[in-house]
Structures are given as structure tokens and as C-alpha cells.
Amino acid sequence: MRVDFHRSLPGLALVAALTLGAALPTAVPPSPTTPHGTVPVAAQAACVTDPATPKRQFRGMWIASVANIDWPSRTGLTAAAQQAEYRGWLDLAQQRRMNAVVVQVRPAADAFWPSTHEPWSQWLTGTQGGNPGYDPMAFMVAEAHARNLEFHAWFNPYRVATHTDLTKLAASHPARTNPGWAVAYNGQLYYNPGIPAVRAFVQTAMMDAVSRYDIDAVHWDDYFYPYPGSGGGFPDQATYAQYGAGFSTIADWRRNNVNLLVQEMSAKIRAAKPWVKLGVSPFGIWRNAGTDPLGSRTTGLQSYDAIYADTRRWVKQGWIDYIAPQIYWQIGHPAADYAELVRWWSETVNGTTVQLLVGQATYRAGASGQDAAWQDPAELSDHLTLNRAYPRILGDIHFSAKDVRADRIGAVSRLTTDHYRRPALAPAGVGGAAPAAPNLTSAVRGTGGVTLNWQRGTAGSTASYAVYRLPGDGSVDPCDLADARNLLGTVRASGSTGTFTDATAAAGSTYRYLVTALDRLHHESPASNARVVTGTGGTFSVIVDNTTTGGFTAAATWGTSSYLTTRYGTNYRFAEPQAVSDPAWFSATLPAAGSYRVEVWYPSDPGYNSATPHLVATANGTVTASVDQRSGGGQWRVLGTYDFAAGTRQVVGVSRWTSTTGYVVADAVRITRL
């Protein structure tokens, strides 16, 4: 169950019981030919990438408007104050290197835009139907896109009000003009999903926003039929008698009503705007294996049976473009283990085109009254680490924005450091095609950094650009673009030209810059031609041997040998592989922030390790590079070029944590400023 509403309004405390079990295809045109001088991206599948800096990862947060949970913070704010608050949420998303926001625009059969079908939302002005003095939807979409954040418009299909009094609704509200559509249940008003006219109406109301605004996705959470209350079942027996012909049980009929909503809305969106995605964030459990052998090894509430949401079918039928189950439990939860549920959902989407995201319970981290696991700052980060074992998981959405900002016990900061160190492109969708590569016309160093200018490619539809910076000069290896190590950021396309200023460029460093183009569904072009910007610093190079005083440290588990004559200096260090890092570290004093080439020297032997992990502690986080020490020894071998901060620090570590056999060796490193 989405806990936004229920944890914010008194008298609706259903969360604990429920969460514990009692929370677009189109024809694809041929790819444009690769222009001379550009760098292809298709060959990157064979590259070794760093899982901590994925090139593509959906990163979003829910911005809830119901009960003023996140935005606006209260009713009655001026238009300028509302807009300033919203910009603040987008600033937060950018600070946490997110690439999407999921904003609630129809929380209760009302609207955050001038709808021709439903009244203005009460959460804007305090009065349902009250005009806020501007078009919030147009403003929100434009502001998100200016930052190249995807805007997912979050609608609640059937909730009408958080009370049961029709007379409290605006006089023009459809539930008042069609009182037979509304059902009072468990202290709230709902549209009756079993009435065909209701289903048609809510689709029309939502499609109004799809057709009029440049949104990237229609997003639903877990509210279809309401969660079971204490006062008996949902009172729609008369509706079943009227419309339920052909269904042997009311439960099957209810599920079919929701299936029709999903299927029909999907068809409408794809017919109107094929690039707009339909995403659903359901309750985390479909069914338990004890009830259904196709279910998960859990014992919690079953959304298939309780709220009539057959989410597994929606995936298998391809009616939706992404699914983001709310897996709001910790790893090891006895009734609903996070690890088990990500396994089950990964298997469920396998073989389909439906993208899998995970709804993360960021609101639990460090909050009072939560299980002890949620008092551990590593719990959220551990979720994303576990996700790496399931390649079908393409990202996460955090509930909610205020909890991302609160960063209780540093859990969000920990997650950002571990998983969001670099920007990331959104996962590519179904349909569409990569545009032609742009032409990078200039890269000029100035007082504010390095300013790039480019021209759009001549073929394809470009929606945005990705900007890359590689240390040093020379040719570009396509593998340099295979993950986000060198990704600086993204820019929304506007017109036939583009520009970007790299304010983080170190004055003393030489860089290569490249730009790629992406279509609306994030298919990436080949990279542009590279432009080199030369640094202004002097030459610096240092060699650190394993015998350098103060420059090398290793535990007693590392042996010393002078057996091989291809060593550097008098000896070298070696250790057996083991499932523990235990690194031997080379340290150096670097004179200035900037780009440095890192080289390693080792004596090679056919019996040594084929994938010795080298840990490079860059300014952007630790990067792992593997070296085959069976050959190529007795000389300097380039490990890579990396950005480092100034100062004395550990720079390169040789780790023992590898599954391959043979000694790992630490001999010497050379670090050269570019």
C-alpha cells in the first residue's frame, strides 16, 4: 500500500496491518549511418563496466500532493511561493543525481491543470475549484524538462474524496452531477470501478492531460479497488448484478474491471502519443506461493485478491511500459523479504518488454517506530546493491520527496555515494531510434570552465544530449562511454544547436569532450567528434614502488618475493585470492586537482591471476579496473586516466577479492599529470 495518504490523515491507519500481511510500440526506422569521426556506442556490450556507475538507471522520487504531503507544503500559498517550492524539489532531484520526478496531479478526482472535466484540486488553494492563478501542470512540465528530468504525471483513477459527503465537493464535480457513480466506503468516496461510464470518464479525464501537456509518462500507484476496511466489503453488489454477466464470482468481475481500465488506457495513450509511457506502482505482493504456485515466497496481503489488481497479467500482456512495485520491506523481513520480492518481480518481467523499477521505502529510513533494520543507514543502499544481481531491475523510485530531503540517519546520502555518484541516462524504451550524432563545433576554456557548442545531427528526432569528458588526449575507446564514469550530464534539446559549460574542469588538466544525442525514448546516437582542451599545468610524474617509504601499505597476509627478474626494483608483493578485499595500497601526494594517467608495473607469470582487481580512488569515487597479470609484465601498462583531487592519499589499491585463481601481485605504480 502506498503510505502517502494513510500515514498522513488521522483515522486511516491501515498501513501496519496491510504491509505485514494482515504497503510503445511503433515501427522502428533503420539506424542512421555513423558519420566519419564519430565514436560508435553499439560495440559497448563487450566492455567491462563499473556496476557502481551504470550508464542507464532510472532514478526518481514521488512528489505527493494529496494532504499537502510534499507539494505544495500547504494550501493557500501564492503562485510564486508554490513555484519556488516546486523548483526546490527539482533542485533536490538534481543534487541527488536523479533523472525523473513522479508528481501527483490528480490526487482525488480533481486536477492540477485547468481541466475541462474536473475541478481544480483543493490541495492548491484550500478550496476545491479554486483557481490558483496559473497552470501548475504547464509550469511543472516545463521546469522539469528545463533540467532534463522526466516528468511522470501521477493520477489516482478512482479516489473521489477523503470524506463521504458529496455536498462538500465543488458544485460542478462529476460525482455530484452523477451521484450514482460514487460509493462511500471506509470513510472515503470512490468512483465505482464496475460502472462502464465511470471507467470511460476517468480515462477521458486523464487523457485530457496526456493530449494537452508534454508529459513523459502516465503513472498510477496502488489504488484501484480500495484496500479492505473494517466495515465489510466494498458495496458494489448491485453493480455486479447489473454488469457482471459472464462472471461466476464478483472477485473475477472486479479484476476484469481493473484489467479493462489498464488495457484501454494503454491503447489510448499509444494511439495518441506512442512515446508517453504507462507505468504502475502496485503493492509489492501479487500473490503468495502458499495461495498460488506462481506467487512469491511471502505471506503478506495479496493485491490480486484484496484490491483486484492482477499486476502479473498486465506485465505478461504488455499493457504497461514499466512496473514499479512498492517493495517497502527490509531485506530479511519474515513475511515479505525484499530479496525474495525483487527475485520474483525480476522473473515476472523476464521475456517481456516491460521495464522493472523498484518503489523504495525511503520514508522508513531512520523514522521512529520502524523495524531495527531501518535504523541502519546502509539498509537502503543494500537494496540497490542487491538489485545489481538482477539485470532486469532498471532503477528505483523513492517515496517520498520530503524523506529524500530529510536524509534521516544519512541513509539517502549513503545511497547517493554508493549508487548515484555519477549522472545516469534513463533506460531506453520500446520503439523509436537513435538520432544522428551531433557535431561538436567548439570546446573553449574560459574563466567559468570549459564551454562546449554543438550542432544537431541531420537525421532523426533529438530530444536531449549527453555530455562526456575523458581525461587526457589521444583516441577515444568506445568503452570509455560504456558506463557513467565519464558522463558529465545531460541537456534538453532546443533548436538546432546546443551548449554546455563544464564548471568542474580543472585548469591544469587536458580533457577530451564528446556529445551524443538521444531521442524521446533515450536511444543514444554515436558520439560526436572529440574536442581536446589542453591543460595549463606543468608536468608532474611520480613512481611509487612497494618499497617506497610511506607510499605503500599492505597487511601481513601479503608475501614478499624477488624471484621474477621482470619486477620493478628489488622485490614485489603477492597474495592468494580470497573473498575479502584486503588491498595493498599505493599512496602519493598529488599537487593539484585534475586528470592523471595511472600505470602499473608487475612481473607477469602464466600462473598469476587473470583478473587482478585494481582499486583507483578517484575524485568521483572508487573505480575498479582488472588486469591480467599472466602476461604483459616487466613494463609500464596503462590502467587508465582518472580525475583526482589534490593532496596526499591512497591512489591505487590491489585487491585480493577475485574469483579467478593465481597470485595477485602489487609491485609499482606511476602517476602522471596530463
Side-chain angles (χ1 to χ4, degrees):
M1 167 176 289
R2 166 59 42 67
V3 297
D4 58 354
F5 187 67
H6 293 287
R7 63 194 282 265
S8 303
L9 296 182
L12 298 174
L14 300 179
V15 178
L18 293 175
T19 54
L20 294 175
L24 309 257
T26 58
V28 180
S31 298
T33 56
T34 302
H36 178 71
T38 62
V39 177
V41 294
Q44 293 174 1
C47 300
V48 177
T49 58
D50 183 355
T53 57
K55 181 168 182 172
R56 294 187 182 272
Q57 185 178 45
F58 188 95
R59 302 171 182 170
M61 66 181 182
W62 279 288
I63 300 178
S65 61
V66 67
N68 299 116
I69 289 175
D70 293 314
W71 181 82
S73 62
R74 59 183 175 84
T75 59
L77 293 175
T78 65
Q82 289 182 3
Q83 292 171 358
E85 281 192 354
Y86 179 75
R87 289 190 183 101
W89 290 123
L90 299 189
D91 291 344
L92 174 66
Q94 286 187 294
Q95 291 162 10
R96 294 303 186 183
R97 300 185 188 91
M98 294 181 176
N99 50 30
V101 289
V102 184
V103 185
Q104 196 170 30
V105 298
R106 186 180 181 268
D110 50 15
F112 272 61
W113 73 97
S115 171
T116 58
H117 305 283
E118 295 177 310
W120 285 106
S121 175
Q122 74 181 81
W123 310 115
L124 287 165
T125 64
T127 301
Q128 191 173 72
N131 191 326
Y134 72 111
D135 184 341
M137 181 84 92
F139 168 78
M140 291 188 293
V141 173
E143 288 290 321
H145 285 174
R147 294 163 171 80
N148 203 36
L149 297 168
E150 280 202 340
F151 185 91
H152 291 223
W154 169 16
F155 302 85
N156 187 294
Y158 290 123
R159 182 168 60 206
V160 173
T162 58
H163 54 77
T164 60
D165 188 352
L166 281 171
T167 65
K168 291 182 179 179
L169 303 177
S172 62
H173 196 291
R176 290 192 67 175
T177 57
N178 301 276
W181 287 4
V183 176
Y185 178 69
N186 201 37
Q188 299 186 60
L189 282 172
Y190 299 92
Y191 280 133
N192 188 338
I195 300 174
V198 165
R199 188 173 70 248
F201 170 76
V202 297
Q203 291 175 27
T204 298
M206 291 183 284
M207 284 302 300
D208 180 59
V210 174
S211 63
R212 292 168 56 191
Y213 298 93
D214 190 24
I215 66 175
D216 297 288
V218 168
H219 180 95
W220 295 339
D221 57 10
D222 55 322
Y223 289 111
F224 298 102
Y225 276 85
Y227 281 89
S230 58
F234 189 70
D236 61 349
Q237 288 73 22
T239 313
Y240 174 51
Q242 184 176 359
Y243 297 109
F247 293 92
S248 58
T249 69
I250 194 171
D252 287 340
W253 170 73
R254 287 171 176 165
R255 269 186 293 273
N256 185 66
N257 293 331
V258 182
N259 289 344
L260 288 172
L261 173 73
V262 176
Q263 185 179 14
E264 292 169 359
M265 190 67 182
S266 175
K268 285 181 169 65
I269 294 170
R270 291 173 181 180
K273 292 183 176 180
W275 60 89
V276 173
K277 299 179 284 285
L278 174 59
V280 180
S281 179
F283 184 77
I285 299 172
W286 172 69
R287 299 191 95 187
N288 301 312
T291 302
D292 188 325
L294 295 175
S296 52
R297 297 187 292 262
T298 51
T299 56
L301 177 139
Q302 304 174 117
S303 61
Y304 177 94
D305 304 276
I307 57 175
Y308 310 101
D310 192 356
T311 50
R312 184 178 182 276
R313 184 176 182 186
W314 307 343
V315 170
K316 296 300 185 183
Q317 294 293 329
W319 293 338
I320 56 179
D321 298 290
Y322 70 82
I323 194 160
Q326 297 170 30
I327 309 182
Y328 285 177
W329 304 277
Q330 68 266 28
I331 297 170
H333 189 285
D337 184 354
Y338 180 90
E340 162 60 13
L341 284 164
V342 294
R343 178 205 65 80
W344 185 87
W345 282 104
S346 294
E347 291 182 0
T348 297
V349 301
N350 191 38
T352 76
T353 60
V354 176
Q355 296 181 344
L356 174 59
L357 313 176
V358 176
Q360 296 289 351
T362 308
Y363 73 93
R364 290 190 187 273
S368 61
Q370 298 293 337
D371 293 345
W374 293 103
Q375 306 309 320
D376 182 353
E379 178 68 27
L380 270 179
S381 179
D382 289 347
H383 288 198
L384 271 67
T385 300
L386 180 59
N387 290 359
R388 294 177 186 171
Y390 300 97
R392 297 288 306 189
I393 299 177
L394 301 181
D396 303 87
I397 313 178
H398 298 272
F399 188 81
S400 69
K402 71 176 187 301
D403 301 293
V404 173
R405 175 176 285 171
D407 191 20
R408 291 179 298 273
I409 64 175
V412 175
S413 293
R414 171 73 176 268
L415 179 146
T416 303
T417 299
D418 292 347
H419 304 281
Y420 295 173
R421 288 202 304 265
R422 305 297 302 162
L425 307 182
V430 175
N439 175 28
L440 183 55
T441 55
S442 66
V444 179
R445 190 187 293 276
T447 55
V450 175
T451 298
L452 313 179
N453 290 283
W454 61 84
Q455 293 178 336
R456 185 180 60 203
T458 57
S461 178
T462 298
S464 62
Y465 299 97
V467 180
Y468 297 87
R469 184 186 73 192
L470 282 60
D473 54 13
S475 61
V476 176
D477 185 335
C479 288
D480 290 334
L481 311 181
D483 59 21
R485 283 172 291 178
N486 299 309
L487 178 63
L488 277 181
T490 63
V491 181
R492 198 76 176 183
S494 177
S496 60
T497 61
T499 187
F500 179 90
T501 297
D502 175 16
T504 65
S509 294
T510 297
Y511 298 113
R512 290 158 292 166
Y513 289 93
L514 305 98
V515 180
T516 61
L518 299 101
D519 74 349
R520 189 64 184 264
L521 289 168
H522 310 294
H523 299 97
E524 188 177 30
S525 75
S528 69
N529 53 305
R531 292 277 175 177
V532 176
V533 175
T534 305
T536 58
T539 300
F540 166 84
S541 186
V542 63
I543 294 174
V544 185
D545 186 22
N546 73 90
T547 60
T548 300
T549 303
F552 180 84
T553 55
T557 49
W558 286 77
T560 303
S561 176
S562 57
Y563 177 73
L564 293 174
T565 58
T566 52
R567 66 187 180 270
Y568 186 93
T570 58
N571 57 44
Y572 53 94
R573 306 296 293 271
F574 67 93
E576 289 276 7
Q578 188 174 333
V580 60
S581 185
D582 188 23
W585 279 103
F586 295 89
S587 300
T589 300
L590 305 182
S595 296
Y596 293 79
R597 180 174 60 248
V598 177
E599 300 164 280
V600 295
W601 185 297
Y602 56 91
S604 57
D605 185 273
Y608 284 174
N609 203 281
S610 63
T612 299
H614 285 63
L615 312 176
V616 186
T618 77
N620 301 312
T622 301
V623 174
T624 302
S626 295
V627 176
D628 185 348
Q629 294 187 322
R630 298 173 301 177
S631 61
Q635 59 185 313
W636 290 112
R637 305 300 299 266
V638 176
L639 199 62
T641 52
Y642 307 93
D643 285 343
F644 293 105
T648 302
R649 60 176 43 80
Q650 294 175 332
V651 179
V652 178
V654 181
S655 172
R656 299 173 62 192
W657 200 329
T658 175
S659 59
T660 51
T661 58
Y663 286 135
V664 298
V665 173
D667 193 355
V669 302
R670 182 166 67 184
I671 305 164
T672 303
R673 187 179 179 186
L674 300 175

